[in-house]
Amino acid sequence: MVNYKDLGLVNTREMFALAVKGGYAIPAFNFNNMEQLQAIIQAAAETKSPVILQVSKGARNYANQTLLRYMAEGAVEYAKELGWEHPQIVLHLDHGDSYELCKSCVDMGFSSVMIDGSSLPYDENVALTKRVVEYAHQFDVTVEGELGVLAGVEDEVSAEHHTYTRPEEVVDFCTKTGCDSLAISIGTSHGAYKFKPEQCTVDPETGRLVPPPLAFDVLEGVEKELPGFPIVLHGSSSVPQEEVDTINKFGGALKAAVGIPEEQLRKAAKSAVCKINIDSDSRLAMTAAVRQVFAEKPAEFDPRKYLGPARENMRKLYMHKIINVLGSDNKAL
Ligand code: G3H
Ligand code: 13P
Ligand code: ZN
């Protein structure tokens, strides 16, 4: 049993309270490898932004849960070396799908876990989330629950199909479970293809697809029911079109990739939304840089010569998110 406090990590409680009050959101960036982690920490240290390092199922399969946890411990020391005296870094389990998995993360030093029971019947979601909260809170580990199902690319993004969070359920859910934050569904979804072309309009000037707006009425309904309670948005990549263009220019084949427009995320960050999850944008930034090096320097075979530019492109992306979208810069001095 290792407590996250001994690793220099923090939980989300105070961070979220300040973010809700201050009208900004904490970035939750997924990491799977050293270059992503370095880029995240460099950006957070440079901007003095609190940051959440997220470990997903795919990351655990790819890199190993134990190794990722030790990398996060190293990240705290790295942040200090970069001159960030009091790093505010959370190590968070993304989309935990069982009590056992959440417990194993708590026991090995994670400071926050998500138990995603959103696909279960309501009562089962409540029971599972409550069980995780009861265990995690003994060690002051914070817990994110989820209500409402994020639309997959195949799904209709519409309230009629009951994919959005139902504001009338949130008080009951949070009271019964004791969760510290709540992920909600308001029209975001995971991946780089968040909307089907037929759901979008076309910008006549650029010819780019313009997605439908998020369901801010649902968010407002949730805020009214749970004033000041920390809300989380998953699936919040913006799918930067310049990265998509670079990928396609250098041999890629990403067609009609569409994300959440930044101005909508800015608006969300000013509300009770205090954690915004971003993974796909980092994948795009990494892939664009690697493809460019491969295309322009076909004789290059030193991985540092393509992973280095990939890391730098991700660092710039994270800086941009922190400063221009979430507004979390200078909030962890
Ligand atoms: O929520 C999904 C994240 O983007 C992580 O996805 O399991 O493929 O790493 P992954
Ligand atoms: P994106 O696929 O939009 O980056 O969402 C990531 C996410 O929600 C991780 O939990
Ligand atoms: Zn997610």
Side-chain angles (χ1 to χ4, degrees):
M1 175 86 206
V2 182
N3 191 279
Y4 68 87
K5 289 173 190 165
D6 297 330
L7 310 180
L9 297 163
V10 298
N11 71 17
T12 59
R13 194 167 293 118
E14 195 191 350
M15 197 180 270
F16 284 174
L18 291 171
V20 173
K21 229 165 97 189
Y24 60 92
I26 312 293
F29 296 132
N30 290 69
F31 80 106
N32 296 261
N33 57 48
M34 183 187 74
E35 284 76 12
Q36 263 180 325
L37 183 59
Q38 287 174 315
I40 294 168
I41 296 301
Q42 287 167 5
E46 193 168 338
T47 57
K48 300 286 184 293
S49 167
V51 72
I52 298 172
L53 302 172
Q54 302 205 124
V55 173
S56 71
K57 185 174 191 165
R60 295 197 314 279
N61 290 341
Y62 176 75
N64 181 277
Q65 179 173 315
T66 307
L67 184 55
L68 291 168
R69 138 38 185 126
Y70 279 91
M71 285 168 73
E73 184 179 355
V76 175
E77 298 310 313
Y78 178 48
K80 288 182 193 161
E81 264 182 36
L82 292 175
W84 192 8
E85 217 179 319
H86 303 292
Q88 285 180 33
I89 301 174
V90 173
L91 178 60
H92 175 77
L93 170 68
D94 193 22
H95 294 284
D97 58 2
S98 70
Y99 170 81
E100 290 72 23
L101 172 60
C102 292
K103 181 179 181 302
S104 89
C105 287
V106 170
D107 291 350
M108 70 157 53
F110 280 57
S111 58
S112 172
V113 293
M114 173 188 194
I115 177 68
D116 181 356
S118 61
S119 59
L120 298 172
Y122 181 81
D123 289 341
E124 287 176 35
N125 187 2
V126 168
L128 177 61
T129 306
K130 182 173 189 288
R131 195 168 166 227
V132 170
V133 169
E134 278 168 1
Y135 186 75
H137 279 186
Q138 294 177 65
F139 309 98
D140 209 18
V141 170
T142 39
V143 179
E144 175 183 328
E146 178 161 353
L147 259 188
V149 180
L150 260 64
V153 75
E154 304 300 329
D155 297 334
E156 279 290 301
V157 182
S158 80
E160 287 77 35
H161 290 77
H162 302 290
T163 51
Y164 291 161
T165 303
R166 292 153 54 91
E168 59 274 27
E169 285 180 348
V170 297
V171 172
D172 185 68
F173 184 84
C174 294
T175 311
K176 281 186 177 152
T177 63
C179 65
D180 301 281
S181 60
L182 182 69
I184 63 167
S185 167
I186 60 167
T188 62
S189 63
H190 292 108
Y193 298 91
K194 299 192 188 299
F195 303 97
K196 290 181 271 187
E198 53 270 33
Q199 291 176 294
C200 304
T201 51
V202 177
D203 181 329
E205 271 174 35
T206 61
R208 304 259 195 215
L209 293 174
V210 180
L214 296 178
F216 279 99
D217 55 328
V218 175
L219 174 58
E220 279 158 24
V222 169
E223 284 188 284
K224 221 166 123 192
E225 295 292 327
L226 284 174
F229 193 81
I231 301 300
V232 177
L233 279 194
H234 282 249
S236 297
S237 277
S238 292
V239 189
Q241 293 300 299
E242 57 279 14
E243 304 295 357
V244 173
D245 289 348
T246 304
I247 290 170
N248 288 337
K249 180 174 165 195
F250 293 111
L254 296 182
K255 300 276 176 274
V258 189
I260 311 297
E262 288 186 345
E263 60 274 15
Q264 296 198 36
L265 295 169
R266 265 183 224 114
K267 182 174 166 186
K270 291 195 170 76
S271 74
V273 169
C274 63
K275 171 176 182 270
I276 291 192
N277 286 12
I278 295 168
D279 185 3
S280 299
D281 284 355
S282 158
R283 298 178 183 193
L284 292 167
M286 185 168 208
T287 303
V290 170
R291 276 199 175 277
Q292 184 160 359
V293 175
F294 282 171
E296 290 177 348
K297 299 177 184 166
E300 192 54 74
F301 69 99
D302 178 346
R304 294 168 297 190
K305 296 288 165 39
Y306 51 85
L307 293 178
R311 180 175 62 196
E312 179 55 14
N313 207 31
M314 289 188 286
R315 187 189 66 82
K316 284 187 191 144
L317 172 96
Y318 295 134
M319 297 269 298
H320 169 70
K321 298 283 176 188
I322 288 169
I323 297 169
N324 301 317
V325 185
L326 309 192
S328 59
D329 50 314
N330 293 314
K331 302 298 190 297
L333 297 170

